[in-house]
Amino acid sequence: LPKDAEIDNAAATGFIRECEKLSDLPGNPSILISHHVNKSSMKGATLFSQEADSNQSASRGASGLVDGARFVINVDNIFKEDWLMTTQYANKRLLKIIHSKINCGPFMQAVHGVIDTDGVIYSLSESEEEELKTLRAVYNANTIGKNSKAVNYI
């Protein structure tokens, strides 16, 4: 990145433009750029809900970085809700991978993932997601009325 690309839209747009030139190389490679989010976007997401998901404005710095890109994906940490502490994921880091911008097709459904003990990210299978939804529903059914912090997302 040029020195001012995080604070100057023209520099940010110029950086994106230079990256796009790489896609003209033999084989027309895809170009992936990793960037960090601003502090207010690090609060986390909610599993199986759009509540608190980050969006296009989560990227830190000049808006030209996101505006110039054709496709932006955010990787959010999942809040550790009380019900999750009773599952096999209690001590694992869960992630939500979501589109926040796409110019070349429809938005994808969120992908829920977990980081294993070796640091490898894998997506939760449909059966793992269904099991977690069931566990959350049972937890909420047993908690609603007893605890005002219970949230039912189903």
Side-chain angles (χ1 to χ4, degrees):
L1 277 162
K3 182 173 112 178
D4 292 334
E6 272 202 19
I7 58 172
D8 181 285
N9 277 328
T13 302
F15 170 71
I16 296 295
R17 195 174 303 116
E18 291 300 312
C19 289
E20 285 180 336
K21 289 179 184 178
L22 296 172
S23 66
D24 292 331
L25 293 171
N28 302 104
S30 295
I31 309 305
L32 299 177
I33 302 166
S34 176
H35 190 55
H36 52 107
V37 296
N38 56 47
K39 289 179 183 176
S40 65
S41 298
M42 293 189 293
K43 58 187 175 243
T46 306
L47 197 60
F48 311 123
S49 170
Q50 292 180 358
E51 181 182 323
D53 286 356
S54 63
N55 58 34
Q56 189 171 327
S57 65
S59 186
R60 181 178 166 95
S63 60
L65 291 170
V66 172
D67 293 346
R70 295 180 186 157
F71 176 112
V72 177
I73 292 177
N74 292 8
V75 179
D76 292 337
N77 285 308
I78 298 291
F79 291 124
K80 285 293 183 149
E81 298 173 75
D82 289 344
W83 70 271
L84 270 171
M85 303 314 283
T86 63
T87 72
Q88 64 177 322
Y89 303 102
N91 296 315
K92 294 182 181 175
R93 197 162 148 205
L94 291 168
L95 304 172
K96 184 185 284 189
I97 302 164
I98 56 172
H99 272 132
S100 61
K101 176 186 179 184
I102 185 164
N103 293 350
C104 51
F107 277 79
M108 68 178 193
Q109 286 187 334
V111 174
H112 298 96
V114 62
I115 301 176
D116 73 11
T117 55
D118 295 321
V120 176
I121 299 172
Y122 68 90
S123 63
L124 295 175
S125 67
E126 286 183 31
S127 62
E128 288 172 312
E129 287 194 8
E130 288 305 315
E131 179 184 355
L132 285 172
K133 287 177 183 178
T134 300
L135 289 170
R136 182 183 56 201
V138 168
Y139 178 86
N140 284 340
N142 291 330
T143 307
I144 292 176
K146 298 176 189 173
N147 180 351
S148 62
K149 293 182 182 179
V151 180
N152 189 351
Y153 295 110
I154 292 181

